[in-house]
Amino acid sequence: MSVSADTRSKTTIVAIDGPAASGKSTVSREVARVLGWTYVDSGSFYRGITWKALHAGVDARDAAAVQTLLARSRWAFPLRDRSVVFTVDGEEPGDALRGPEVREAVSDVAALPDVRAFVNAQLRAMRRYAPLVMEGRDIGTVVFPDADFKFYLDASPEERARRRARDLAAQEGAVDVAQVLASLERRDGKDSTRREAPLRPASDARIIDSTAMGVDEVVALIVAVVRSGGDAI
Ligand code: DC
């Protein structure tokens, strides 16, 4: 696939999908920074809806209640420092998005079809901020099947658990890697087996196994592919 420099500067979309703790966020943010493009963390919107539900005392698995809450809340998706952020009823959850309550409930919320339809509509409207790098689970398969570049970033479950444990230890103190692995596998299981938009690589995605790769190496590979218009290995 080849994209001219002109087209690339206006509408290009880079989709980076993959399981939890595959390094997607760090890599995607850095790819966007290097290219000078807009960064979108689609998972943060699923987390934001989960946070709002928990905050409002709504059961995250109650589809009708979550849908009512979605419709009643005021959502905005402004651009800040070249990243798309969001506010709900004028509030920003901040670090609570990454906290344990949201983390454990978010897979249930992300499995609700109405929630996915709402988030997908918002994500597609972000084309106005292109060129952009969007990370998630279904960006290359469902949100932007016509994305110019699709990557699927993976790593072994053990390596992903080690990475996640390292991040968590920095935020929350000592953690048990075996427990982190169990929690990751539970979430991966839910994300991969749900009926709507299950986690899987797009048939035309480049699969990158980062188990033995550093962040810089993965970023360099993706940037090289994008800059070459898709011709780099
Ligand atoms: O990437 P993350 O860990 O912040 O994602 C949070 C949850 O949202 C996770 O359960 C997967 C889900 N998600 C999704 O279903 N589709 C996306 N495009 C992004 C995230």
Side-chain angles (χ1 to χ4, degrees):
M1 131 185 60
S2 185
V3 185
S4 80
D6 271 345
T7 317
R8 203 178 312 171
S9 65
K10 296 194 196 76
T11 62
T12 304
I13 296 194
V14 178
I16 305 183
D17 290 305
S22 55
K24 257 181 352 249
S25 293
T26 314
V27 163
S28 304
R29 200 182 287 278
E30 185 59 11
V31 167
R33 192 192 65 75
V34 171
L35 293 169
W37 294 359
T38 304
Y39 167 67
V40 184
D41 171 6
S42 65
S44 70
F45 307 127
Y46 290 102
R47 286 172 184 265
I49 295 168
T50 307
W51 175 82
K52 182 68 182 173
L54 294 173
H55 223 61
V58 166
D59 178 352
R61 284 159 306 185
D62 182 339
V66 174
Q67 171 58 11
T68 304
L69 182 73
L70 266 185
R72 286 203 182 133
S73 313
R74 243 177 333 103
W75 302 84
F77 300 87
L79 196 57
R80 186 182 304 145
D81 298 333
R82 288 194 159 256
S83 292
V84 181
V85 296
F86 74 94
T87 62
V88 48
D89 295 328
E91 278 191 286
E92 267 186 71
D95 290 345
L97 281 190
R98 305 264 138 212
E101 291 85 8
V102 169
R103 187 163 61 233
E104 290 307 317
V106 65
S107 302
D108 290 324
V109 172
L112 300 175
D114 286 337
V115 168
R116 300 204 71 81
F118 173 82
V119 172
N120 287 348
Q122 302 300 335
L123 295 175
R124 290 186 186 122
M126 288 170 201
R127 206 184 256 283
R128 69 185 181 281
Y129 296 132
L132 53 86
V133 177
M134 186 178 285
E135 63 151 297
R137 302 291 192 288
D138 62 343
I139 308 306
T141 49
V142 174
V143 179
F144 289 120
D146 60 341
D148 304 271
F149 302 96
K150 299 181 186 180
F151 299 91
Y152 187 88
L153 194 54
D154 210 346
S156 71
E158 294 73 20
E159 175 59 18
R160 291 189 292 114
R162 268 194 296 276
R163 290 177 188 171
R164 177 53 55 87
R166 209 171 41 219
D167 290 351
L168 288 176
Q171 289 165 26
E172 296 170 15
V175 288
D176 175 10
V177 180
Q179 258 177 25
V180 174
L181 179 59
S183 160
L184 273 183
E185 289 187 326
R186 195 166 57 243
R187 281 184 47 194
D188 284 351
K190 282 189 188 172
D191 291 341
S192 314
T193 55
R194 68 182 177 218
R195 285 177 51 184
E196 289 262 330
L199 172 67
R200 62 176 174 79
S203 57
D204 51 352
R206 283 164 203 263
I207 298 180
I208 303 176
D209 181 348
S210 73
T211 305
M213 289 172 84
V215 169
D216 291 354
E217 238 178 308
V218 179
V219 170
L221 174 63
I222 294 177
V223 168
V225 170
V226 172
R227 285 199 171 136
S228 72
D231 297 330
I233 303 149

